[in-house]
């Protein structure tokens, strides 16, 4: 494609470069040559090479704030669907002050179908990750409309230091929760929700556009 | 034997020996699928949807170390001249397996232990070489789903009709010709992931046939790339 390598768009199997790179992501090393493994944008540093993916599943990372749906209430934990290839579990201790399995009934706190804003507390290869409610604003989301966005576009939706999501909240009058896993919950009157839906569609289709936060006002009108 | 090549050295549909049938590919047209693709190649019209990686509902058939790839190749009842029963036939089960095996070497399944990836291939209209077209399209759909892969897999059949080696067999050439040799290849490494052969070729012919297939695969790979670029980067460029 282009001669200028960094910032160039790559597809699986595209030759990225050769040499001594210490770390690489979404790329594979064959001999001393590197090839892309995902559709994305190439980023090259001194000793690292990586492809920022444009599609793909959500992979839980420690500390990520996600929105999960309760799909199972077990004796001492809840199982949540976090829109990934694994479920996650939330131990009961996080929701009860001093949890006693004989006294406390889990479904009194969160029932099947509840949406919960939680952070990823532990990730282990090949196992369900563990969630935690330690953190500001984490817990059950009482009401709202659920939207989905491709997880690779979540950073765009949040914006620099939350600028984009704040802008959308400001313009629509809705309260918005964004999970790193691509689940969004918006709370507010119906006309606000309609606007939020538009805003999410705009981010989804125009994520690559620069200065989108400033343009959002005109686009939403 | 049926005459499949005219005096001018053209095939029944007017193609030269090393020419592919007209083809077009499109990526990402199904909203609910993780990744999808559509291909037309000759009379083939094939839609592919990839779902996953996702949590397997049961322990059965999963692997603790990597994702399990499952593939279903299915022909719709109206895809053939005579109605085809929608039940999976022996042929479809076999093709599902060979497609799965042709795609698996390209994928980095270790990144998603314990999960499953499903590839659903629906043949809307069938012509010769539908397994090759299915592999080519499934490869686009997998890239669209963001499943890490070493390379795109491109597939095409080579055959021998009336004593000539020809590229990308049509249905008639497949049925009436002497040899059918479908090949799937990862072009970066030159790794062949599928090779089946009906009929006989001499060693020399075989080498020529492989060269012919590589040429065809290269052309198809360009189109696979274009389909993905169209979906992901088109808006960026304009």
């Amino acid at each position: 494609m282009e001669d200028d390598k960094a910032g160039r768009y790559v597809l699986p199997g595209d030759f990225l470069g050769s040499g001594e790179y210490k770390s690489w992501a979404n790329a594979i090393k064959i001999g001393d040559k590197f090839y892309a493994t995902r559709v994305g944008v190439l980023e090259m540093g001194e000793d690292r090479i990586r492809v920022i993916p444009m599609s793909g599943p959500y992979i839980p990372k420690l500390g990520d704030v996600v929105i999960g749906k309760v799909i199972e209430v077990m004796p001492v934990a809840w199982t949540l669907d976090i829109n990934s290839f694994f479920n996650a579990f939330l131990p009961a201790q996080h929701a009860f002050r001093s949890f006693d399995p004989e006294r406390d009934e889990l479904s009194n706190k969160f029932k099947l179908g509840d949406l919960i804003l939680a952070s990823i507390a532990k990730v282990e290869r090949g196992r369900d990750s563990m969630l935690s409610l330690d953190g500001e604003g984490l817990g059950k989301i009482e009401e709202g409309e659920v939207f989905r966005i491709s997880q690779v576009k979540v950073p765009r939706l949040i914006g620099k230091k939350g600028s984009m999501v704040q802008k959308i909240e400001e313009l629509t009058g809705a309260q918005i929760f964004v999970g790193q896993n691509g689940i969004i919950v918006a709370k507010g009157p119906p006309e606000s929700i309609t606007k939020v839906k538009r805003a999410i569609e705009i981010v989804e289709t125009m994520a690559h556009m620069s200065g989108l936060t400033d343009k959002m006002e005109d686009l939403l009108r | 034997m049926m005459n499949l090549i005219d005096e001018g050295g053209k095939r029944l549909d007017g193609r030269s020996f090393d020419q592919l049938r007209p083809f077009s590919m499109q990526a990402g047209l199904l909203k609910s699928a993780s990744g999808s693709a559509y291909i037309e190649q000759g009379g083939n019209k094939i839609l592919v949807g990839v779902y996953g990686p996702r949590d397997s509902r049961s322990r059965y058939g999963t692997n603790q170390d990597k994702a399990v790839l499952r593939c279903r190749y299915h022909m719709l009842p109206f895809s053939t001249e005579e109605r085809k029963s929608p039940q999976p036939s022996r042929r479809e089960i076999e093709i599902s397996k060979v497609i799965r095996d042709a795609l698996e070497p390209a994928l980095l399944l270790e990144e998603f232990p314990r999960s499953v990836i499903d590839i659903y291939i629906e043949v809307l209209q069938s012509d010769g070489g539908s397994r090759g077209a299915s592999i080519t399209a499934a490869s686009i759909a997998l890239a669209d789903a963001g499943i890490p892969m070493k390379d795109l897999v491109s597939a095409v059949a080579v055959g021998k009709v009336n004593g000539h080696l020809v590229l990308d067999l049509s249905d008639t050439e497949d049925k009436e010709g002497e040899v059918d040799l479908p090949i799937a290849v990862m072009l970066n490494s030159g790794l062949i992931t599928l090779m089946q052969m009906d009929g006989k070729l001499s060693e020399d012919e075989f080498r020529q046939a492989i060269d012919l297939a590589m040429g065809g695969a290269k052309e198809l790979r360009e189109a696979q790339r274009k389909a993905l670029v169209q979906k992901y980067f088109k808006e960026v460029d304009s």
Side-chain angles (χ1 to χ4, degrees), chain A residues 1-2 9-15 26-28 30 35-41 54-57 59 71 81 84-87 125-128 205 208, chain B residues 53-57 64-66 108 110-115 143-152 188 221 224-226 228-229 232-233 235-237:
Chain A
M1 264 188 194
E2 292 87 349
Y9 312 124
V10 294
L11 300 172
D14 282 5
F15 174 67
N26 297 319
I28 189 170
I30 300 173
Y35 296 93
T37 60
R38 308 261 295 260
V39 180
V41 180
M54 309 251 314
S55 69
I59 299 171
I71 53 168
D81 176 2
S84 180
F85 48 97
F86 284 153
N87 295 325
R125 185 183 152 83
R127 286 171 192 266
D128 290 355
T205 52
H208 48 79
Chain B
R54 56 186 175 187
D55 199 20
S56 162
R57 294 281 171 252
Q64 290 295 321
D65 300 320
K66 59 176 190 175
L108 301 166
E110 312 81 58
E111 297 199 14
F112 311 108
R114 246 184 59 202
S115 62
D144 182 35
I147 307 209
M149 55 209 291
K150 293 176 201 157
D151 197 355
L152 296 168
N188 275 345
R221 187 192 152 96
Q224 287 175 301
R225 291 184 45 102
K226 265 194 196 134
L228 286 165
V229 167
Y232 285 97
F233 309 122
E235 305 107 326
V236 187
D237 288 339

Side-chain angles (χ1 to χ4, degrees), chain B residues 32-108:
Chain B
S32 58
S34 315
S36 55
Y38 176 69
I39 186 169
E40 289 187 10
Q41 187 175 359
N44 285 310
K45 294 185 182 194
I46 300 168
L47 184 61
V48 182
V50 169
Y51 292 76
R54 56 186 175 187
D55 199 20
S56 162
R57 294 281 171 252
S58 72
R59 280 274 177 90
Y60 177 75
T62 60
N63 188 324
Q64 290 295 321
D65 300 320
K66 59 176 190 175
V68 169
L69 187 65
R70 300 191 295 207
C71 177
R72 188 186 76 157
Y73 166 95
H74 182 241
M75 290 172 86
L76 288 167
F78 53 77
S79 64
T80 47
E81 263 172 50
E82 267 180 51
R83 178 182 181 276
K84 192 211 146 281
S85 157
Q87 279 171 356
S89 65
R90 212 181 68 100
R91 175 179 168 276
E92 286 169 289
I93 295 167
E94 183 214 318
I95 292 184
S96 301
K97 189 212 173 278
V98 301
I99 291 175
R100 202 198 78 87
D101 292 353
L103 292 167
E104 196 175 20
L107 302 175
L108 301 166

Side-chain angles (χ1 to χ4, degrees), chain A residues 6 25 32 37 41 53 58 63 67 70 78 81 92 95 100 113 118 123 144 163 168 174 183 192 208 216 218:
Chain A
D32 65 341
T37 60
V41 180
Y58 170 66
I67 295 174
V70 178
W78 292 272
D81 176 2
D100 178 357
V123 185
S163 60
I168 297 174
I183 305 288
S192 299
H208 48 79
M216 192 51 97
D218 294 330

